[in-house]
Amino acid sequence: MADDRLIVALDVATMEQLKNLVTTLGDSVSYYKVGMELFYAAGAQTVTYLQEQGKSVFLDLKLHDIPNTVAQGVTSLTRLGAKLITLHSQGGPVMMAAAAKAATEAAEKLQVERPKLLAVTVLTSFDDDAWTAIGGQLPIRDQVLRLAKLAKESGMDGVVASPLEAKAIREVCGDDFLIVTPGIRPSFAAANDQKRIATPKNALADGASKLVIGRPITKAENPQEAVRLIVEEMEAI
Ligand code: C5P
């Protein structure tokens, strides 16, 4: 049985590459993340294909628009079958509440499991200069916690966060809040361009619910073996 706390990031641009990876990883992985690159290139068939293979899909499109538009978007993605959907908490409490209501109503109507909504707080690519440039007032870390709390109060099921923020978010938002963390590097892997990283074990110990991992698996010489080693690290906690 695959460990569904591991989500593999499908950072590829074609259906063919997607199918190759999913075939290579076989039963060792049950959860995949489809992001903008793949979804904008290959569209809804990516999700349909993964579902046909019995996989769960995290659709990471980071919705951010007026409440009605985001709600309609969430309805469409629920219909498509996404299990996790991201949106920007900076869209505000009304937008998040509208999204949560849309997910509940669409799932009830379709008699499917309600997708979980994950808020993005402050993108980890922000540094202090960029943050000041857009008028950020609080220190970034405080803003992350403020938005995580607001996301919870507005009906979000969790957040996407750096593993280094997981502990503080867990303290503020409690145990029944999903914390999904990218920026994970198992002990055997190269950091690539990730800077604020944690091992699978440390991220889980700090309160992460699920881990999103891309290149340490997708670029590994033996991807199945990479998954096996990562799951071993995850289970060592
Ligand atoms: O290859 P790697 O493990 O770095 O991939 C991590 C995935 O998580 C990528 O899809 C990346 O876009 C995403 N991500 C991230 N850091 C964030 C948000 C998303 O690495 N702060």
Side-chain angles (χ1 to χ4, degrees):
M1 275 285 283
D3 190 326
D4 71 358
R5 293 174 303 170
L6 171 65
I7 304 177
V8 174
L10 286 166
D11 292 322
V12 295
T14 66
M15 272 306 286
E16 196 190 344
Q17 289 169 298
L18 176 164
K19 286 182 179 177
N20 283 341
L21 258 171
V22 172
T23 306
T24 302
L25 292 169
D27 290 338
S28 67
V29 172
S30 63
Y31 224 124
Y32 286 96
K33 177 170 90 79
V34 173
M36 290 184 193
E37 179 188 13
L38 182 58
F39 195 78
Y40 291 159
Q45 62 174 329
T46 56
V47 182
T48 313
Y49 171 80
L50 287 164
Q51 281 189 312
E52 284 167 2
Q53 302 302 310
K55 309 302 181 191
S56 300
V57 182
F58 170 11
L59 208 39
D60 184 19
L61 300 177
K62 299 190 175 68
L63 311 185
H64 189 174
D65 208 317
I66 59 170
N68 182 60
T69 303
V70 168
Q72 305 292 2
V74 166
T75 299
S76 294
L77 299 182
T78 304
R79 199 173 293 137
L80 193 53
K83 290 271 198 304
L84 278 179
I85 297 169
T86 46
L87 39 91
H88 275 284
S89 54
Q90 290 180 41
V94 179
M95 187 202 82
M96 289 190 275
K101 182 162 177 270
T104 302
E105 288 177 359
E108 269 171 17
K109 194 163 166 206
L110 296 158
Q111 303 268 297
V112 295
E113 191 188 328
R114 181 190 177 282
K116 302 257 195 285
L117 301 184
L118 295 179
V120 175
T121 59
V122 179
L123 292 170
T124 51
S125 49
F126 269 103
D127 60 15
D128 288 334
D129 286 346
W131 186 236
T132 307
I134 65 157
Q137 306 267 319
L138 292 174
I140 293 177
R141 193 179 161 80
D142 294 351
Q143 182 69 3
V144 166
L145 293 178
R146 181 192 177 118
L147 287 172
K149 195 157 168 269
L150 180 67
K152 183 168 183 193
E153 289 162 5
S154 308
M156 298 294 94
D157 301 287
V159 287
V160 181
S162 151
L164 306 185
E165 292 158 354
K167 202 171 202 164
I169 293 173
R170 179 63 68 214
E171 273 164 21
V172 170
C173 295
D175 284 343
D176 59 349
F177 199 57
L178 283 172
I179 302 177
V180 177
T181 58
I184 303 294
R185 286 297 175 266
S187 16
F188 64 83
N192 308 114
D193 58 352
Q194 296 280 17
K195 295 205 167 58
R196 302 177 62 224
I197 54 179
T199 64
K201 186 177 162 190
N202 289 344
L204 292 173
D206 282 347
S209 319
K210 290 183 184 294
L211 311 179
V212 175
I213 307 185
R215 287 162 291 181
I217 293 170
T218 58
K219 303 282 184 220
E221 217 164 282
N222 182 341
Q224 274 222 25
E225 177 63 6
V227 168
R228 195 187 66 74
L229 290 170
I230 287 168
V231 171
E232 210 171 83
E233 286 191 36
M234 290 167 69
E235 284 168 356
I237 133 160

